[in-house]
Amino acid sequence: MTPEEILTGLYEQTLVGNGPEVLALTNQALEIGMTPGSLLFDALIPSLEEVGARFERGDFFVPEMLIAGKAMAGAMERLRPLLADTGVETIGKFLMGTVKGDVHDIGKNLVNIMLEGAGFEVVDLGVQVAPEKFVAAIEEHQPDIVGFSAFLTTTMPMFKANLNALDKAGLRDQVIVMVGGAPVTQEYADAVGADGYAADASATVKKAKELLAGKRALVGAGA
């Protein structure tokens, strides 16, 4: 296969969520000397962006997004160490976790894959993450954005507890805080004092880029 055929195949097979074929094409590409960055930016990311666009139009639903995300995740496992070696620049660091009391992670994991595909470095703290663990991780990893995920209405109040913990630790102004999850709304995000909210994985990537660009513009302007 030519490099062009491999890139087309990667795009199409990611779109339909064919994980084994995506991994096979990734390995084939590397064997003939194609760069990890080319696979990422010329095939995998555009494919996942198309998945997000189809989801927004109502042509794709959560299962299609999940299998496409998993297909890309397999390729990312192979490419991640190579991308690090070649010094491909990340656009920002995103610290993510499901709040204390909540063990749901499917949505969070899909968001992580989409963020990685868009060029973010993702630090995933997993589920049942207590406020003090978020604080310690922010101090350790110095992320640009922190994401709190909640699937249950009963765990949504942890958003406010987490934000209070960041305030107390003097970290609130250092990070952008995004919240999300099935029961979460823009109104709730505003009420607890989050910087951003997104309804799904595709929207999370867009909002994260937007918030990061806004913050960097402020810093650049000396605000």
Side-chain angles (χ1 to χ4, degrees):
M1 291 177 84
T2 66
E4 290 74 22
E5 286 169 338
I6 288 176
L7 290 174
T8 300
L10 270 176
Y11 178 92
E12 291 173 349
Q13 296 304 319
T14 301
L15 202 58
V16 297
N18 187 344
E21 186 60 21
V22 169
L23 190 55
L25 286 166
T26 299
N27 286 327
Q28 195 176 339
L30 296 172
E31 281 166 17
I32 65 167
M34 293 176 72
T35 65
S38 167
L39 305 188
L40 192 61
F41 297 112
D42 297 333
L44 295 168
I45 289 177
S47 185
L48 222 53
E49 285 173 345
E50 175 61 21
V51 169
R54 292 187 185 191
F55 180 79
E56 285 172 7
R57 291 198 303 266
D59 297 331
F60 270 16
F61 300 96
V62 170
E64 287 90 346
M65 282 188 82
L66 278 172
I67 61 167
K70 281 184 179 173
M72 179 165 174
M76 286 302 294
E77 286 294 315
R78 182 80 175 83
L79 294 175
R80 196 178 292 115
L82 302 173
L83 289 164
D85 289 345
T86 54
V88 170
E89 202 168 325
T90 57
I91 62 173
K93 189 183 286 190
F94 201 114
L95 181 76
M96 174 71 89
T98 301
V99 298
K100 186 177 179 182
D102 207 319
V103 297
H104 294 86
D105 66 357
I106 290 176
K108 171 182 67 65
N109 294 346
L110 180 57
V111 169
N112 289 348
I113 293 165
M114 296 283 276
L115 286 167
E116 278 202 334
F120 280 91
E121 178 187 347
V122 177
V123 179
D124 184 6
L125 300 180
V127 299
Q128 292 263 33
V129 184
E132 57 271 21
K133 190 171 177 186
F134 274 114
V135 167
I138 291 167
E139 289 173 341
E140 179 187 347
H141 298 285
Q142 304 285 307
D144 299 291
I145 306 175
V146 178
F148 302 143
S149 172
F151 187 79
L152 305 169
T153 51
T154 51
T155 57
M156 283 165 56
M158 288 307 300
F159 291 161
K160 189 64 179 168
N162 289 342
L163 284 158
N164 288 343
L166 297 194
D167 267 329
K168 197 172 173 185
L171 298 170
R172 179 64 187 94
D173 294 339
Q174 293 179 27
V175 290
I176 295 164
V177 173
M178 292 185 68
V179 297
V184 186
T185 62
Q186 182 66 60
E187 289 73 23
Y188 193 84
D190 293 341
V192 297
D195 300 309
Y197 157 78
D200 57 64
S202 173
T204 301
V205 173
K206 281 186 190 168
K207 190 68 179 175
K209 285 181 173 178
E210 187 185 299
L211 289 167
L212 197 52
K215 182 179 181 182
R216 286 176 175 166
L218 279 174
V219 171

